[in-house]
Amino acid sequence: MKRYGEIFKTHLVGKPLVVSTDPDLNYLIFQQEGQLFQSWYPETFTEIFGRQSIGSLHGFIYKYLKNMVLSLFGPESLKNMLSEVEHAACTCLQQWSCQDTVELKEATATMIFDLTAKKLISYDSKNSSENLMENFVAFMKGLISFPLDLPGTAYHKCLQGRKRAMEMLKKMLEERRANPRKEQSDFFDYVLEELKKEGTILTEAIALDLMFVLLFASFETTSLAITYAIKVLSHNPLVLKKLQEEHEAILKRREDPNSGITWKEYKSMTYTFQFMNETVRLANIVPGIFRKSLSEVNFKGYTIPAGWAVMVCPPAVHLNPAKYQDPLSFNPSRWEGIEMNGSTKEFMAFGGGMRFCVGADFTKVQMAVFIHSLVTKYRWNTIKGGNTIRTPGLQFPDGFHVQMIRRDQSNQESECSITN
Protein backbone atom coordinates (compact mmCIF):
# COMPACT_ATOMS: atom_id res chain seq x y z
CA MET A 1 0.00 0.00 0.00
CA LYS A 2 2.87 2.38 0.81
CA ARG A 3 4.43 1.75 -2.58
CA TYR A 4 1.41 1.46 -4.87
CA GLY A 5 -1.57 2.94 -3.02
CA GLU A 6 -4.85 1.40 -1.89
CA ILE A 7 -5.60 -0.23 -5.27
CA PHE A 8 -2.88 -1.91 -7.30
CA LYS A 9 -2.23 -4.63 -9.88
CA THR A 10 -0.17 -7.78 -9.43
CA HIS A 11 -0.30 -11.40 -10.60
CA LEU A 12 -1.49 -14.57 -8.89
CA VAL A 13 -0.60 -17.97 -10.39
CA GLY A 14 -0.04 -16.26 -13.73
CA LYS A 15 -3.35 -14.39 -13.75
CA PRO A 16 -3.59 -10.57 -13.52
CA LEU A 17 -5.05 -9.57 -10.18
CA VAL A 18 -6.27 -6.28 -8.69
CA VAL A 19 -5.70 -5.98 -4.93
CA SER A 20 -8.20 -3.71 -3.20
CA THR A 21 -7.57 -2.25 0.25
CA ASP A 22 -9.99 0.59 -0.48
CA PRO A 23 -13.18 0.36 1.67
CA ASP A 24 -15.35 1.95 -1.04
CA LEU A 25 -14.20 -0.43 -3.78
CA ASN A 26 -14.53 -3.41 -1.44
CA TYR A 27 -18.09 -2.41 -0.64
CA LEU A 28 -18.90 -1.96 -4.34
CA ILE A 29 -17.48 -5.42 -5.12
CA PHE A 30 -19.66 -7.08 -2.47
CA GLN A 31 -22.81 -5.14 -3.38
CA GLN A 32 -22.46 -5.78 -7.11
CA GLU A 33 -22.30 -9.59 -6.83
CA GLY A 34 -23.77 -11.05 -10.02
CA GLN A 35 -23.82 -7.63 -11.73
CA LEU A 36 -20.25 -6.35 -12.04
CA PHE A 37 -18.46 -9.10 -10.10
CA GLN A 38 -18.85 -12.74 -9.21
CA SER A 39 -17.14 -15.19 -6.86
CA TRP A 40 -13.86 -16.56 -8.19
CA TYR A 41 -10.96 -18.60 -6.83
CA PRO A 42 -7.66 -19.72 -8.37
CA GLU A 43 -7.69 -23.04 -10.20
CA THR A 44 -5.81 -24.73 -7.36
CA PHE A 45 -8.48 -23.72 -4.83
CA THR A 46 -11.24 -24.93 -7.14
CA GLU A 47 -9.48 -28.27 -7.49
CA ILE A 48 -9.10 -28.58 -3.72
CA PHE A 49 -12.56 -27.45 -2.60
CA GLY A 50 -14.49 -29.00 -5.47
CA ARG A 51 -15.73 -27.62 -8.77
CA GLN A 52 -19.30 -27.69 -7.51
CA SER A 53 -18.62 -26.20 -4.09
CA ILE A 54 -20.74 -23.29 -2.87
CA GLY A 55 -17.88 -20.84 -3.56
CA SER A 56 -17.79 -21.79 -7.25
CA LEU A 57 -21.53 -21.64 -7.92
CA HIS A 58 -23.51 -18.55 -8.88
CA GLY A 59 -27.00 -17.20 -9.32
CA PHE A 60 -30.05 -19.29 -8.47
CA ILE A 61 -28.15 -22.45 -7.49
CA TYR A 62 -26.04 -20.46 -5.00
CA LYS A 63 -29.12 -18.85 -3.41
CA TYR A 64 -30.76 -22.27 -3.24
CA LEU A 65 -27.79 -23.78 -1.38
CA LYS A 66 -27.51 -20.75 0.91
CA ASN A 67 -31.14 -21.18 1.97
CA MET A 68 -30.46 -24.86 2.64
CA VAL A 69 -27.60 -23.96 4.98
CA LEU A 70 -29.62 -21.23 6.72
CA SER A 71 -32.34 -23.78 7.44
CA LEU A 72 -29.76 -25.56 9.60
CA PHE A 73 -27.66 -22.69 10.96
CA GLY A 74 -30.11 -19.79 10.92
CA PRO A 75 -31.27 -18.06 14.16
CA GLU A 76 -34.36 -20.25 14.63
CA SER A 77 -32.31 -23.46 14.46
CA LEU A 78 -29.57 -22.02 16.66
CA LYS A 79 -32.08 -21.37 19.46
CA ASN A 80 -32.58 -25.13 19.67
CA MET A 81 -28.84 -25.79 19.50
CA LEU A 82 -27.79 -23.70 22.50
CA SER A 83 -27.88 -26.63 24.92
CA GLU A 84 -25.75 -28.79 22.57
CA VAL A 85 -23.18 -26.01 22.14
CA GLU A 86 -23.02 -25.41 25.90
CA HIS A 87 -22.67 -29.13 26.65
CA ALA A 88 -19.78 -29.40 24.15
CA ALA A 89 -18.00 -26.38 25.65
CA CYS A 90 -18.41 -27.55 29.25
CA THR A 91 -17.32 -31.10 28.45
CA CYS A 92 -14.17 -29.96 26.68
CA LEU A 93 -13.22 -27.45 29.37
CA GLN A 94 -13.62 -30.10 32.05
CA GLN A 95 -11.39 -32.51 30.10
CA TRP A 96 -8.76 -29.82 29.51
CA SER A 97 -8.68 -28.84 33.17
CA CYS A 98 -7.41 -32.32 34.09
CA GLN A 99 -4.59 -32.31 31.53
CA ASP A 100 -1.09 -30.96 32.11
CA THR A 101 -1.07 -28.98 28.85
CA VAL A 102 -3.45 -28.31 26.00
CA GLU A 103 -2.66 -27.41 22.38
CA LEU A 104 -5.48 -24.91 22.25
CA LYS A 105 -5.96 -24.50 18.50
CA GLU A 106 -6.09 -28.25 17.97
CA ALA A 107 -8.37 -28.83 20.98
CA THR A 108 -10.89 -26.15 19.98
CA ALA A 109 -10.85 -27.38 16.36
CA THR A 110 -11.74 -30.88 17.59
CA MET A 111 -14.53 -29.52 19.80
CA ILE A 112 -16.10 -27.51 16.97
CA PHE A 113 -15.62 -30.19 14.32
CA ASP A 114 -17.34 -32.81 16.48
CA LEU A 115 -20.25 -30.47 17.17
CA THR A 116 -20.68 -29.47 13.51
CA ALA A 117 -20.25 -33.01 12.18
CA LYS A 118 -22.89 -34.26 14.60
CA LYS A 119 -25.32 -31.59 13.43
CA LEU A 120 -24.58 -32.07 9.73
CA ILE A 121 -24.18 -35.82 9.40
CA SER A 122 -24.74 -37.30 12.90
CA TYR A 123 -21.06 -38.23 12.98
CA ASP A 124 -19.70 -39.34 16.36
CA SER A 125 -15.91 -39.61 16.44
CA LYS A 126 -16.01 -41.83 19.55
CA ASN A 127 -18.18 -44.46 17.88
CA SER A 128 -16.71 -44.28 14.38
CA SER A 129 -14.08 -46.68 13.06
CA GLU A 130 -12.66 -43.93 10.82
CA ASN A 131 -11.35 -40.53 11.88
CA LEU A 132 -12.97 -37.99 9.58
CA MET A 133 -11.18 -34.99 11.10
CA GLU A 134 -7.71 -36.43 10.37
CA ASN A 135 -8.42 -36.03 6.66
CA PHE A 136 -9.33 -32.37 7.14
CA VAL A 137 -6.10 -31.78 9.08
CA ALA A 138 -4.10 -33.27 6.18
CA PHE A 139 -6.18 -31.17 3.79
CA MET A 140 -5.45 -27.96 5.73
CA LYS A 141 -1.68 -28.49 5.81
CA GLY A 142 -1.47 -28.42 2.02
CA LEU A 143 -4.12 -25.84 1.28
CA ILE A 144 -1.63 -23.03 0.70
CA SER A 145 1.13 -24.84 -1.17
CA PHE A 146 2.77 -25.05 -4.59
CA PRO A 147 0.31 -26.95 -6.84
CA LEU A 148 2.57 -29.91 -7.60
CA ASP A 149 0.57 -33.13 -7.43
CA LEU A 150 3.40 -35.59 -6.77
CA PRO A 151 3.68 -38.09 -3.89
CA GLY A 152 5.40 -36.47 -0.92
CA THR A 153 4.36 -32.89 -1.70
CA ALA A 154 2.03 -30.92 0.59
CA TYR A 155 -0.38 -30.36 -2.31
CA HIS A 156 -0.59 -34.09 -3.01
CA LYS A 157 -1.30 -34.80 0.67
CA CYS A 158 -3.97 -32.11 0.61
CA LEU A 159 -5.73 -33.70 -2.39
CA GLN A 160 -5.47 -37.13 -0.79
CA GLY A 161 -6.99 -35.77 2.43
CA ARG A 162 -9.90 -34.35 0.43
CA LYS A 163 -10.30 -37.62 -1.49
CA ARG A 164 -10.49 -39.71 1.68
CA ALA A 165 -12.89 -37.26 3.36
CA MET A 166 -15.17 -37.26 0.30
CA GLU A 167 -15.14 -41.07 0.18
CA MET A 168 -16.22 -41.17 3.84
CA LEU A 169 -18.99 -38.62 3.27
CA LYS A 170 -20.24 -40.49 0.18
CA LYS A 171 -20.26 -43.77 2.13
CA MET A 172 -22.24 -42.17 4.97
CA LEU A 173 -24.74 -40.70 2.51
CA GLU A 174 -25.25 -44.10 0.85
CA GLU A 175 -25.75 -45.77 4.24
CA ARG A 176 -28.34 -43.17 5.18
CA ARG A 177 -30.11 -43.61 1.85
CA ALA A 178 -30.29 -47.35 2.49
CA ASN A 179 -31.60 -46.77 6.03
CA PRO A 180 -33.66 -43.56 5.95
CA ARG A 181 -35.00 -42.01 9.18
CA LYS A 182 -38.64 -41.34 9.89
CA GLU A 183 -37.96 -37.72 10.90
CA GLN A 184 -35.37 -35.22 9.68
CA SER A 185 -32.68 -34.73 12.31
CA ASP A 186 -29.57 -33.64 10.40
CA PHE A 187 -28.39 -32.17 7.11
CA PHE A 188 -28.09 -35.59 5.44
CA ASP A 189 -31.82 -36.15 5.99
CA TYR A 190 -32.57 -32.76 4.44
CA VAL A 191 -30.31 -33.52 1.44
CA LEU A 192 -31.89 -36.94 0.81
CA GLU A 193 -35.36 -35.39 0.93
CA GLU A 194 -34.29 -32.77 -1.63
CA LEU A 195 -32.67 -35.37 -3.92
CA LYS A 196 -35.98 -37.28 -4.06
CA LYS A 197 -37.92 -34.28 -5.37
CA GLU A 198 -38.80 -34.28 -9.03
CA GLY A 199 -36.94 -31.61 -10.99
CA THR A 200 -34.57 -30.77 -8.14
CA ILE A 201 -31.44 -28.85 -9.06
CA LEU A 202 -29.52 -30.49 -6.23
CA THR A 203 -27.15 -33.32 -7.17
CA GLU A 204 -25.26 -35.72 -4.96
CA ALA A 205 -21.93 -34.19 -6.07
CA ILE A 206 -23.08 -30.67 -5.12
CA ALA A 207 -24.40 -31.89 -1.76
CA LEU A 208 -21.14 -33.67 -0.90
CA ASP A 209 -19.01 -30.67 -1.91
CA LEU A 210 -21.25 -28.43 0.21
CA MET A 211 -20.87 -30.71 3.23
CA PHE A 212 -17.10 -30.81 2.79
CA VAL A 213 -16.84 -26.99 2.71
CA LEU A 214 -19.15 -26.55 5.71
CA LEU A 215 -17.15 -28.99 7.83
CA PHE A 216 -13.86 -27.37 6.84
CA ALA A 217 -15.02 -23.79 7.31
CA SER A 218 -16.59 -24.39 10.70
CA PHE A 219 -13.70 -26.08 12.45
CA GLU A 220 -10.84 -24.08 10.93
CA THR A 221 -12.13 -20.52 11.21
CA THR A 222 -14.00 -20.64 14.54
CA SER A 223 -11.17 -22.48 16.32
CA LEU A 224 -8.75 -19.76 15.23
CA ALA A 225 -11.09 -17.09 16.58
CA ILE A 226 -11.50 -18.82 19.96
CA THR A 227 -7.75 -19.44 20.25
CA TYR A 228 -7.02 -15.79 19.55
CA ALA A 229 -9.75 -14.74 22.00
CA ILE A 230 -8.08 -16.69 24.83
CA LYS A 231 -4.69 -15.26 23.90
CA VAL A 232 -5.91 -11.66 24.13
CA LEU A 233 -7.77 -12.39 27.38
CA SER A 234 -4.52 -13.59 28.93
CA HIS A 235 -2.97 -10.19 28.16
CA ASN A 236 -5.99 -8.01 29.03
CA PRO A 237 -7.12 -8.61 32.64
CA LEU A 238 -9.52 -5.65 32.58
CA VAL A 239 -11.33 -7.10 29.57
CA LEU A 240 -11.51 -10.48 31.32
CA LYS A 241 -12.94 -8.79 34.43
CA LYS A 242 -15.68 -7.09 32.38
CA LEU A 243 -16.59 -10.38 30.75
CA GLN A 244 -16.73 -12.12 34.11
CA GLU A 245 -19.00 -9.41 35.51
CA GLU A 246 -21.39 -9.66 32.55
CA HIS A 247 -21.66 -13.43 32.67
CA GLU A 248 -21.86 -13.73 36.45
CA ALA A 249 -24.71 -11.21 36.34
CA ILE A 250 -26.50 -13.56 33.95
CA LEU A 251 -26.12 -16.42 36.47
CA LYS A 252 -27.47 -14.26 39.29
CA ARG A 253 -30.61 -13.41 37.30
CA ARG A 254 -31.47 -17.07 36.76
CA GLU A 255 -34.18 -18.68 38.87
CA ASP A 256 -32.38 -22.01 38.56
CA PRO A 257 -28.55 -21.50 38.64
CA ASN A 258 -28.04 -24.97 37.13
CA SER A 259 -30.16 -24.32 34.04
CA GLY A 260 -28.53 -23.75 30.67
CA ILE A 261 -28.15 -20.60 28.57
CA THR A 262 -31.34 -19.25 27.05
CA TRP A 263 -31.61 -17.33 23.79
CA LYS A 264 -32.64 -14.22 25.75
CA GLU A 265 -29.46 -14.49 27.86
CA TYR A 266 -27.35 -14.96 24.73
CA LYS A 267 -28.80 -11.84 23.12
CA SER A 268 -28.17 -9.87 26.33
CA MET A 269 -24.37 -10.41 26.20
CA THR A 270 -23.63 -6.84 25.08
CA TYR A 271 -19.97 -6.65 26.09
CA THR A 272 -19.36 -10.20 24.82
CA PHE A 273 -20.51 -9.16 21.35
CA GLN A 274 -18.16 -6.16 21.50
CA PHE A 275 -15.38 -8.52 22.56
CA MET A 276 -16.11 -10.88 19.65
CA ASN A 277 -16.17 -8.02 17.12
CA GLU A 278 -12.78 -6.86 18.32
CA THR A 279 -11.44 -10.42 18.28
CA VAL A 280 -12.36 -11.11 14.65
CA ARG A 281 -11.26 -7.59 13.62
CA LEU A 282 -7.73 -8.27 14.84
CA ALA A 283 -7.59 -12.01 14.12
CA ASN A 284 -8.24 -11.41 10.39
CA ILE A 285 -8.88 -15.09 9.82
CA VAL A 286 -9.66 -14.56 6.13
CA PRO A 287 -6.82 -12.44 4.66
CA GLY A 288 -8.26 -12.28 1.16
CA ILE A 289 -11.65 -12.67 -0.57
CA PHE A 290 -11.62 -13.28 -4.32
CA ARG A 291 -13.93 -12.05 -7.04
CA LYS A 292 -13.80 -11.67 -10.84
CA SER A 293 -15.00 -8.70 -12.90
CA LEU A 294 -17.82 -9.58 -15.31
CA SER A 295 -17.41 -6.40 -17.33
CA GLU A 296 -15.07 -3.41 -17.42
CA VAL A 297 -15.30 -1.44 -14.18
CA ASN A 298 -14.20 2.18 -13.75
CA PHE A 299 -13.58 3.38 -10.20
CA LYS A 300 -11.70 6.44 -8.86
CA GLY A 301 -9.71 6.76 -12.08
CA TYR A 302 -8.82 3.05 -12.20
CA THR A 303 -10.05 0.65 -14.87
CA ILE A 304 -10.53 -3.04 -14.04
CA PRO A 305 -10.76 -4.95 -17.34
CA ALA A 306 -13.47 -7.58 -17.81
CA GLY A 307 -12.44 -11.04 -16.64
CA TRP A 308 -9.73 -9.85 -14.24
CA ALA A 309 -9.46 -11.30 -10.75
CA VAL A 310 -9.90 -8.98 -7.77
CA MET A 311 -8.82 -9.63 -4.18
CA VAL A 312 -10.58 -7.78 -1.37
CA CYS A 313 -8.18 -7.41 1.57
CA PRO A 314 -10.12 -7.19 4.90
CA PRO A 315 -7.02 -6.79 7.17
CA ALA A 316 -6.12 -3.50 5.48
CA VAL A 317 -9.59 -2.19 6.33
CA HIS A 318 -9.63 -3.58 9.88
CA LEU A 319 -6.23 -2.08 10.69
CA ASN A 320 -6.88 1.30 9.09
CA PRO A 321 -5.86 4.06 11.61
CA ALA A 322 -8.21 6.50 9.87
CA LYS A 323 -11.15 4.38 11.05
CA TYR A 324 -9.81 2.62 14.15
CA GLN A 325 -7.87 4.68 16.68
CA ASP A 326 -4.72 2.80 17.70
CA PRO A 327 -5.79 -0.10 15.44
CA LEU A 328 -3.35 -2.69 16.82
CA SER A 329 -4.62 -2.34 20.39
CA PHE A 330 -7.30 -4.72 21.65
CA ASN A 331 -10.18 -2.52 22.77
CA PRO A 332 -13.70 -4.06 22.77
CA SER A 333 -15.18 -0.79 24.05
CA ARG A 334 -14.61 0.79 20.65
CA TRP A 335 -17.73 -1.13 19.57
CA GLU A 336 -19.91 0.35 22.29
CA GLY A 337 -23.24 1.54 20.91
CA ILE A 338 -22.56 0.05 17.46
CA GLU A 339 -25.01 -2.57 16.17
CA MET A 340 -23.32 -5.09 13.85
CA ASN A 341 -25.86 -7.27 12.02
CA GLY A 342 -23.87 -7.58 8.82
CA SER A 343 -20.88 -6.08 7.10
CA THR A 344 -19.96 -2.43 6.54
CA LYS A 345 -17.28 -0.64 4.54
CA GLU A 346 -15.01 -0.76 7.59
CA PHE A 347 -15.88 -4.23 8.95
CA MET A 348 -15.97 -7.33 6.78
CA ALA A 349 -14.76 -10.17 9.00
CA PHE A 350 -17.58 -12.35 7.61
CA GLY A 351 -17.45 -11.09 4.03
CA GLY A 352 -20.26 -8.99 2.62
CA GLY A 353 -23.11 -8.68 0.17
CA MET A 354 -25.13 -11.72 -0.84
CA ARG A 355 -22.17 -13.96 0.05
CA PHE A 356 -22.04 -12.77 3.65
CA CYS A 357 -20.96 -15.84 5.65
CA VAL A 358 -23.96 -18.10 6.28
CA GLY A 359 -22.23 -19.50 9.35
CA ALA A 360 -21.60 -16.12 11.02
CA ASP A 361 -24.40 -16.55 13.58
CA PHE A 362 -23.28 -20.11 14.35
CA THR A 363 -19.72 -18.86 14.95
CA LYS A 364 -20.94 -16.13 17.30
CA VAL A 365 -23.07 -18.58 19.28
CA GLN A 366 -20.15 -20.98 19.69
CA MET A 367 -17.78 -18.22 20.79
CA ALA A 368 -20.25 -16.61 23.21
CA VAL A 369 -21.25 -19.90 24.83
CA PHE A 370 -17.62 -21.01 25.13
CA ILE A 371 -16.69 -17.69 26.78
CA HIS A 372 -19.67 -17.97 29.14
CA SER A 373 -18.61 -21.46 30.23
CA LEU A 374 -14.97 -20.42 30.61
CA VAL A 375 -15.42 -17.28 32.69
CA THR A 376 -18.22 -18.60 34.94
CA LYS A 377 -16.87 -22.06 35.70
CA TYR A 378 -13.13 -21.35 35.96
CA ARG A 379 -10.84 -18.98 37.83
CA TRP A 380 -8.17 -17.58 35.53
CA ASN A 381 -4.66 -16.90 36.75
CA THR A 382 -2.25 -15.36 34.27
CA ILE A 383 1.40 -15.30 35.26
CA LYS A 384 3.96 -13.56 33.08
CA GLY A 385 7.67 -13.47 33.63
CA GLY A 386 10.61 -12.31 31.54
CA ASN A 387 10.71 -12.73 27.80
CA THR A 388 10.27 -16.49 27.88
CA ILE A 389 8.03 -18.74 29.94
CA ARG A 390 9.21 -22.32 30.39
CA THR A 391 7.04 -25.21 31.52
CA PRO A 392 7.77 -28.96 31.30
CA GLY A 393 8.22 -29.77 27.63
CA LEU A 394 6.98 -26.40 26.39
CA GLN A 395 8.48 -23.01 25.71
CA PHE A 396 6.51 -19.84 25.09
CA PRO A 397 8.58 -16.93 23.72
CA ASP A 398 6.93 -13.79 25.08
CA GLY A 399 4.22 -16.18 26.15
CA PHE A 400 1.93 -16.74 29.04
CA HIS A 401 1.14 -19.26 31.73
CA VAL A 402 -2.56 -19.71 32.40
CA GLN A 403 -3.96 -21.67 35.32
CA MET A 404 -7.63 -22.56 35.18
CA ILE A 405 -9.34 -23.85 38.31
CA ARG A 406 -12.82 -25.34 38.05
CA ARG A 407 -15.65 -23.80 40.04
CA ASP A 408 -19.08 -25.31 40.67
CA GLN A 409 -22.30 -23.33 41.03
CA SER A 410 -21.66 -22.74 44.74
CA ASN A 411 -18.28 -21.22 43.81
CA GLN A 412 -16.32 -24.11 45.37
CA GLU A 413 -12.97 -24.64 43.65
CA SER A 414 -11.51 -28.02 42.67
CA GLU A 415 -7.88 -29.04 42.65
CA CYS A 416 -7.43 -29.71 38.91
CA SER A 417 -5.61 -27.08 36.89
CA ILE A 418 -4.40 -26.54 33.38
CA THR A 419 -1.29 -24.79 32.15
CA ASN A 420 -1.49 -23.28 28.68
Side-chain angles (χ1 to χ4, degrees), residues 173-360:
L173 184 62
E174 289 173 348
E175 288 174 352
R176 184 68 61 80
R177 184 182 276 124
N179 300 285
R181 296 173 174 177
K182 292 182 180 180
E183 295 182 3
Q184 290 185 11
S185 61
D186 66 10
F187 201 52
F188 262 162
D189 294 328
Y190 190 93
V191 165
L192 289 173
E193 196 64 34
E194 287 294 307
L195 288 173
K196 289 178 186 176
K197 293 179 180 178
E198 186 177 346
T200 180
I201 59 174
L202 184 67
T203 66
E204 185 177 296
I206 292 175
L208 290 173
D209 272 345
L210 176 62
M211 240 163 279
F212 179 86
V213 170
L214 290 175
L215 285 168
F216 167 77
S218 63
F219 96 96
E220 180 57 26
T221 55
T222 310
S223 61
L224 281 169
I226 291 177
T227 302
Y228 185 72
I230 293 180
K231 171 181 164 53
V232 293
L233 278 180
S234 69
H235 293 288
N236 294 272
L238 292 179
V239 173
L240 175 60
K241 185 173 183 292
K242 274 191 160 186
L243 282 174
Q244 288 173 327
E245 289 171 352
E246 178 169 85
H247 289 275
E248 285 173 359
I250 289 173
L251 295 183
K252 289 176 182 177
R253 289 194 295 268
R254 285 182 187 169
E255 292 183 11
D256 178 4
N258 294 311
S259 62
I261 296 175
T262 65
W263 189 254
K264 183 178 180 181
E265 288 174 346
Y266 165 68
K267 298 300 285 186
S268 73
M269 299 175 183
T270 305
Y271 187 74
T272 303
F273 282 105
Q274 295 171 17
F275 172 80
M276 291 191 295
N277 283 342
E278 187 71 346
T279 296
V280 295
R281 179 187 74 84
L282 279 171
N284 283 309
I285 294 162
V286 180
I289 301 171
F290 294 97
R291 294 290 186 267
K292 181 175 72 173
S293 58
L294 295 175
S295 59
E296 185 177 287
V297 178
N298 294 294
F299 182 84
K300 290 185 178 180
Y302 294 94
T303 298
I304 304 174
W308 274 35
V310 181
M311 187 182 84
V312 172
C313 186
V317 176
H318 296 158
L319 303 178
N320 184 356
K323 170 59 183 176
Y324 298 100
Q325 185 178 3
D326 194 9
L328 294 179
S329 68
F330 188 82
N331 178 20
S333 296
R334 72 169 84 242
W335 298 95
E336 193 171 343
I338 301 175
E339 288 289 332
M340 292 299 301
N341 297 316
S343 66
T344 66
K345 291 181 181 180
E346 288 80 24
F347 186 72
M348 48 188 64
F350 298 101
M354 66 176 289
R355 287 186 182 267
F356 184 80
C357 178
V358 291

